[in-house]
Amino acid sequence: MKLHRFMNLNGKVALLFIILGIASCKSFLEVSPKDQIADSDVWTDTGMADLFLNNVYSGLPGPFNFFDPWENYTDNSMNGVNGLDSRVLYSPSVYTASNTPNWWGQYANIRRANLFIEKVTASAFPDTWKKSKIAEARFLRAYYYQLLWTAHGGVPIIANTLNQNTQGEEIFRPRNTDEETYQFIVDECAAIVDDLPLKAEAGRVSKASALTLKGFCELFWASPLKNTANDKARWALAAASNKKVIELGSHSLFANYETQFYEDNNNNAEVIFAKQYLGGTALGSGKEGLWGPWMVGGVQKAYGGVDPSQELVDEYAMANGLPITDPASGYNPQNPYVNREKRFYQSIVYDGSIWVGAEMVMKQGVGSRNATDLSNTNEATNTGYYLRKTLNPKYTVNGNNLLNSGSFIIYRYAEVLLSYAEAQNEAVGPDETVYSAINQIRMRSELPALKTGLTQAEMRVIIQRERRVELAFEERRWFDLMRLKLAEKNLNGTLHAMKIEVVAGKTVYTVIPAPEGGKTFYADKNYLLPIPQSAMNQNSKLVQNPNY
């Protein structure tokens, strides 16, 4: 199964197309008249045109209806069930251009954005309405290109609708360069900021959305994968864009780290851009029944699709703010879950913790069905842990239950603070603003402020750890592994698990290799995903990424 199939909405596009009386194109090159919808019906009525724009929004990737989210493609977690693409294709790096996870399906979303931009530009709608709505569509198009660029490198930049009937073979474009693709995205964001509102409707694009997308792409461009010469100016550019988001004053950290992801707190002050869900309908989220703990109180509540790794668990600090590797931290490997930082308890279901009113037991030999699955025989955790973060306990119904309305947060203010701190630290070192950004995040989780006098290298380690912990299970880790060139280390080797036994009446904790937790990453090719073979067959001007 390809990644764009994982990330596509289940039924949302179809529903909106029924409303509009059109059908989705099979690829960005399909130009059948069915998506040339009646101008008199849509492009002369702002309400209908806005429905079309909703359709462009509906393509936003959201993982909440899929059993194998992209987090399982990283070192943060693994799927509790074997046979999934993250385990059998990506982890051993045996994927090819013919079966690759990929983002190429974003061209369908780009085509819809192009059509909207062209039709609204040529319409007689009020100028103020046109300006803001075109800006939204340009943001969405830039976001979809960002997905393509970070995964595949330079791709064909298509900013107009294509028609094979009138253009023939001219519709087949070669790939733009890596830098050209990056520059297109950030230039689009810069061009639309002034046309977007400071405060947007729920799920819509704001000034902060555009600046955050720009800042993230600049951070990616400044990072070791793209910035081999470590040009400080690139880091400074990323810092400046993220600082602009901070200076807007439109967003702040939400008080409760855990509940910010619940539907009651949708679109709170921390959320900069999010994909919306509607529980109880075909547009609902089902993550609790897909990703959550398998057996709860003797009843199957979920498929256990996300098992946090020991590697991630070890990144959570102690309550005193020190990493567990610090001798002064007080960490006891034979009592590993005591006095950890709040985010650990808000993110991880561990042996002895309570989930939906039941104690979760991962010990061996005590008759628990949640005992760490050492032989990979069922849906019990393969790592000794289950996911808690983002899961709402009231929706623990097995399967893709579609009950939850909680948004998938694409960008939030904490990430802006982390990105600013990283870029500023790399550009000029750990100045006071770097400390301030990181300490704001730590203070929310009741961690002490960082000690002063850190070197740039020491601050770098702290920022990377804070980013991994703060943004865990939000589909951000893969991007960081790639841009920081950490994948060649972290995705080579074996993920680890916690084996818990009772020996002579005493609980013994042993870190072991997770069953089927092996990972392979080839640095000479895997920092880019291949162009799908189907696209290569269709367009002879495309050049495949190296070594595929």
Side-chain angles (χ1 to χ4, degrees), residues 452-472:
T452 59
L454 295 170
T455 67
Q456 184 186 56
E458 290 170 335
M459 181 62 83
R460 181 184 298 123
V461 171
I462 288 170
I463 290 171
Q464 289 185 11
R465 183 168 60 240
E466 284 289 334
R467 189 177 181 97
R468 184 177 185 182
V469 167
E470 177 71 20
L471 302 179

Side-chain angles (χ1 to χ4, degrees), residues 230-521:
N230 196 27
D231 180 359
K232 299 293 185 182
R234 293 192 187 186
W235 290 109
L237 196 63
S241 290
N242 283 285
K243 186 178 181 182
K244 285 180 181 179
V245 180
I246 297 169
E247 291 174 340
L248 284 176
S250 55
H251 295 276
S252 59
L253 294 177
F254 188 71
N256 191 308
Y257 177 78
E258 182 174 17
T259 62
Q260 69 175 307
F261 303 102
Y262 291 3
E263 62 187 11
D264 291 344
N265 296 317
N266 275 352
N267 308 301
N268 62 69
E270 186 162 349
V271 177
I272 292 174
F273 188 57
K275 178 179 180 61
Q276 309 296 298
Y277 287 80
L278 183 60
T281 75
L283 310 184
S285 159
K287 59 183 173 173
E288 285 77 11
L290 296 171
W291 303 350
W294 179 43
M295 302 296 295
V296 182
V299 178
Q300 183 174 354
K301 292 289 189 177
Y303 287 120
V306 179
D307 294 346
S309 67
Q310 187 66 45
E311 281 76 5
L312 174 63
V313 167
D314 287 347
E315 293 281 34
Y316 289 92
M318 300 296 286
N320 59 17
L322 297 175
I324 66 171
T325 53
D326 191 318
S329 70
Y331 176 71
N332 180 357
Q334 289 306 311
N335 199 6
Y337 311 135
V338 173
N339 294 329
R340 301 296 288 272
E341 63 160 290
K342 283 183 67 175
R343 288 176 297 189
F344 170 74
Y345 302 111
Q346 295 168 325
S347 303
I348 307 294
V349 173
Y350 58 93
D351 181 68
S353 63
I354 303 299
W355 177 246
V356 197
E359 181 180 359
M360 303 299 293
V361 178
M362 285 72 155
K363 296 181 181 69
Q364 303 291 309
V366 297
S368 174
R369 298 187 69 183
N370 285 312
T372 303
D373 183 7
L374 304 178
S375 56
N376 198 35
T377 58
N378 55 36
E379 286 81 15
T381 173
N382 288 140
T383 64
Y385 306 101
Y386 288 116
L387 177 66
R388 177 187 293 271
K389 184 179 174 182
T390 80
L391 303 186
N392 192 327
K394 73 179 181 180
Y395 294 127
T396 53
V397 177
N398 190 46
N400 185 25
N401 55 56
L402 305 176
L403 295 174
N404 198 337
S405 295
S407 301
F408 170 57
I409 301 174
I410 296 172
Y411 295 127
R412 60 185 178 96
Y413 187 64
E415 182 176 357
V416 171
L417 292 173
L418 288 161
S419 295
Y420 172 76
E422 179 183 346
Q424 183 72 355
N425 184 56
E426 297 300 334
V428 302
D431 65 13
E432 185 277 331
T433 66
V434 173
Y435 279 90
S436 174
I438 297 300
N439 284 335
Q440 287 179 60
I441 293 170
R442 289 170 64 89
M443 287 174 62
R444 171 170 57 187
S445 295
E446 300 177 7
L447 291 171
L450 295 174
K451 68 177 183 180
T452 59
L454 295 170
T455 67
Q456 184 186 56
E458 290 170 335
M459 181 62 83
R460 181 184 298 123
V461 171
I462 288 170
I463 290 171
Q464 289 185 11
R465 183 168 60 240
E466 284 289 334
R467 189 177 181 97
R468 184 177 185 182
V469 167
E470 177 71 20
L471 302 179
F473 310 113
E474 297 180 46
E475 304 287 64
R476 306 306 290 164
R477 179 62 175 169
W478 186 85
F479 296 101
D480 290 342
L481 288 173
M482 297 303 122
R483 68 179 181 83
L484 294 170
K485 295 199 72 176
L486 296 174
E488 59 199 69
K489 174 186 176 184
N490 293 25
L491 300 186
N492 269 320
T494 303
L495 293 184
H496 288 81
M498 183 66 81
K499 179 181 178 181
I500 310 172
E501 302 171 287
V502 178
V503 180
K506 182 180 180 181
T507 303
V508 178
Y509 298 84
T510 306
V511 175
I512 62 170
E516 293 193 14
K519 289 183 176 291
T520 301
F521 188 91

